[in-house]
Amino acid sequence: MYKAPRGTADILPEEQAYWRYVESQATALCRLYGYQRLDTPAFEDASLFTRSIGESTDIVTKEMYVFEDRSHNKLALRPEGTAPVCRAYLEHGLGNLPQPVKLYYFAGIFRYERPQAGRYRQHYQFGFEAIGEADPALDAEVIDMAWQFFKSLWLNDLYLYINSIGCRKCRPAYLKSLKSYYSKHVAGLCKDCQTRFEKNTLRLLDCKQPTCQEAAESAPRSAESLCLECGEHFTTVKKYLDSLGLPYQVNHRLVRGLDYYTKTVFEIQPHGEGSQSALGGGGRYDDLIEELGGKPTPAIGFASGMERVVLNLKQQRVAVPDAQKTEVFIACMGEQAKREGVKLAATLRRQGIAVAGALSDRSLKAQLRQADSLGSRFVVIIGDDEVKAGSVTLRDMGKGDQRSVAMEELGKTLEDILRCAQE
Ligand code: AMP
């Protein structure tokens, strides 16, 4: 028997209500904040990612799915969503539009990681990017939108962490002081961090190993080594966040895993879990567009893993609307009844009412059980008596009552009740 590849998962019909709920809340939010949808291909030139994410990051060194196609192009399955959006921004001349250009996406993301709860080799991200504006008011707007995304889903007990990791002017000096600090601690660090010490010093700060965390606690802080411009930017972002009443905390160990970030970085985490379980994160990437061949163009974005959001919705027992329920089930007894049932089902569907049933010769009990498992609120029962009388029995499963309705009246009656239920 075949199985889905390790680290991937099927999203079964019973899960879909959660996914559609997250998607619809996200889409509604994007409208409120003025974002438009962009879809990019699942694979890109591998060098787009090596250039942007950084040669020595975990994603590029260990996790990217890289392959050569039959024309010897070196391609990579998308390991994150920001670089493709920037590529599209440049390729389609979106820099000529009024700035900032605000784009959002839902995309499959591929990373060869060690699979565990909430960590997959293929996962889906909802992300948004605002490109072409340097003002700290945009940082606050993006952080607010990310926070409202989770609030609109009724997720509680979340932490909002922010930090500033400076820019290419002030970061080299900070990295130097960080390296000098860690040179005294390197022997006590985990194996991965001993490699990071040489290649990706900033990432030493967010290692999850207890001994590394201890060392990180007393390490020099990026927010205390900012140049004048980055310092003012960070102070202003915090002022805006205060005025919006957002419950943020400055976390000096928050650095994010991709090299392109500058200035503001932020993450949203659920209560009581390790930072492995971030629900979403983002930050500024003021140099990325230029790095990819464009004019200097400041930008900021955010992405959230849909699987983790769904996991948290279940853990917090958030009731999600089930748009997939089949509203009406038609139970038929006998050949003639079935003929009427098939016609009624077709008529109701043409009216936009979801209908199941009118298919089998099973017992009424078995058909009612099926209606129940589909979550149908109404069951239309047709037997010999009903056929003779030109009527059906309409049972309201929620209320437990039933009445007789003329066949030609059924469509209108159901439409009236269902419209009332929506109002
Ligand atoms: P990142 O691009 O690493 O900043 O990830 C953005 C968000 O995607 C994270 O906050 C997680 O919610 C989610 N995420 C990242 N990696 C994975 C993964 N391997 N499996 C599931 N979700 C992930």
Side-chain angles (χ1 to χ4, degrees), residues 50-86:
T50 29
R51 270 261 339 243
S52 56
I53 300 171
E55 303 263 5
S56 54
T57 56
D58 284 356
I59 296 182
V60 168
T61 55
K62 299 192 236 165
E63 297 169 2
M64 236 174 20
Y65 282 87
V66 182
F67 62 99
E68 207 178 89
D69 69 8
R70 285 163 201 269
S71 312
H72 308 293
N73 299 308
K74 199 173 166 200
L75 301 167
L77 294 182
R78 169 178 50 204
E80 62 98 39
T82 301
V85 170
C86 293

Side-chain angles (χ1 to χ4, degrees), residues 7 59 63 79-82 105 109-126 150 203 256-258 260-261 266-269 275-282 302-309:
I59 296 182
E63 297 169 2
E80 62 98 39
T82 301
Y105 58 85
I109 302 288
F110 306 86
R111 294 180 190 172
Y112 186 79
E113 297 200 77
R114 202 159 54 81
Q116 49 193 287
R119 187 167 292 278
Y120 304 93
R121 289 184 176 168
Q122 176 181 344
H123 71 279
Y124 290 89
Q125 287 188 2
F126 159 56
F150 298 109
R203 288 307 302 276
R256 313 268 307 131
L258 304 92
Y260 53 61
Y261 286 113
F266 65 102
E267 224 165 69
I268 290 161
Q269 289 176 18
S275 49
Q276 286 275 34
S277 63
L279 275 170
F302 166 81
S304 169
M306 308 264 290
E307 287 79 0
R308 290 194 196 169
V309 173

Side-chain angles (χ1 to χ4, degrees), residues 49-235:
F49 299 114
T50 29
R51 270 261 339 243
S52 56
I53 300 171
E55 303 263 5
S56 54
T57 56
D58 284 356
I59 296 182
V60 168
T61 55
K62 299 192 236 165
E63 297 169 2
M64 236 174 20
Y65 282 87
V66 182
F67 62 99
E68 207 178 89
D69 69 8
R70 285 163 201 269
S71 312
H72 308 293
N73 299 308
K74 199 173 166 200
L75 301 167
L77 294 182
R78 169 178 50 204
E80 62 98 39
T82 301
V85 170
C86 293
R87 195 261 312 136
Y89 174 92
L90 288 171
E91 183 173 341
H92 303 289
L94 304 186
N96 298 323
L97 299 174
Q99 307 290 301
V101 170
K102 293 173 159 185
L103 302 163
Y104 76 95
Y105 58 85
F106 295 99
I109 302 288
F110 306 86
R111 294 180 190 172
Y112 186 79
E113 297 200 77
R114 202 159 54 81
Q116 49 193 287
R119 187 167 292 278
Y120 304 93
R121 289 184 176 168
Q122 176 181 344
H123 71 279
Y124 290 89
Q125 287 188 2
F126 159 56
F128 51 85
E129 317 285 344
I131 306 177
E133 176 59 70
D135 199 298
L138 181 62
D139 303 41
E141 186 187 283
V142 164
I143 295 172
D144 178 49
M145 178 167 165
W147 185 249
Q148 296 314 321
F149 169 55
F150 298 109
K151 290 279 115 184
S152 76
L153 294 170
W154 294 96
L155 282 174
N156 289 314
D157 289 337
L158 303 181
Y159 293 112
L160 169 59
Y161 295 116
I162 67 165
N163 195 14
S164 174
I165 55 170
C167 65
R168 53 187 165 193
K169 273 186 272 158
C170 52
R171 191 156 346 133
Y174 171 63
L175 288 180
K176 212 166 152 198
S177 70
L178 198 61
K179 207 153 191 176
S180 137
Y181 166 81
Y182 269 109
S183 63
K184 293 173 216 119
H185 295 83
V186 70
L189 301 177
C190 74
K191 248 183 143 177
D192 278 347
C193 278
Q194 294 190 350
T195 317
R196 283 183 194 126
F197 173 71
E198 291 301 335
K199 297 194 165 158
N200 200 349
T201 325
L202 208 55
R203 288 307 302 276
L204 290 170
L205 292 171
D206 72 349
C207 179
K208 311 301 171 303
Q209 300 296 331
T211 48
C212 302
Q213 293 206 342
E214 220 171 276
E217 225 24 79
S218 327
R221 301 175 162 192
S222 59
E224 289 165 10
S225 318
L226 300 176
C227 61
L228 197 64
E229 185 195 327
C230 288
E232 274 175 10
H233 188 96
F234 195 41
T235 306

Side-chain angles (χ1 to χ4, degrees), residues 134-143 162-164 230-244 246 248 263-266 284 300:
D135 199 298
L138 181 62
D139 303 41
E141 186 187 283
V142 164
I143 295 172
I162 67 165
N163 195 14
S164 174
C230 288
E232 274 175 10
H233 188 96
F234 195 41
T235 306
T236 316
V237 171
K238 286 185 283 183
K239 272 193 197 140
Y240 284 127
L241 293 179
D242 288 333
S243 70
L244 290 171
L246 293 191
Y248 68 89
K263 292 185 177 162
T264 315
V265 288
F266 65 102
R284 256 200 183 277
I300 178 165

